[in-house]
Amino acid sequence: MVGENEILEPVIPERAVIKEAAAAGASVSEYKTAAGKRVTEMFDELAVSFLTKIEAAK
């Protein structure tokens, strides 16, 4: 489906909000900070990219 050398975009950087959400047992989308909103947007973009590649592989 996706080659070994193929990287899905966007690459999610290590962010404190991800660690905070994991430690709290919460979704990143529950964090209404600018960082929480941006990381949520990035995960959404990544999901679209992944689903597009799956459709293209069919």
Side-chain angles (χ1 to χ4, degrees):
M1 177 173 24
V2 177
E4 279 183 26
N5 297 325
E6 196 167 341
I7 298 173
L8 294 174
E9 296 288 339
V11 175
I12 307 295
E14 185 174 337
R15 299 291 300 258
V17 70
I18 296 171
K19 291 179 183 180
E20 291 170 10
S27 168
V28 173
S29 64
E30 293 177 46
Y31 284 76
K32 303 302 181 191
T33 62
K37 289 178 185 175
R38 180 61 190 131
V39 170
T40 298
E41 291 170 357
M42 293 175 81
F43 276 116
D44 289 345
E45 291 169 22
L46 186 60
V48 169
S49 178
F50 183 69
L51 292 172
T52 301
K53 291 196 181 288
I54 288 174
E55 282 299 314
K58 288 184 178 180

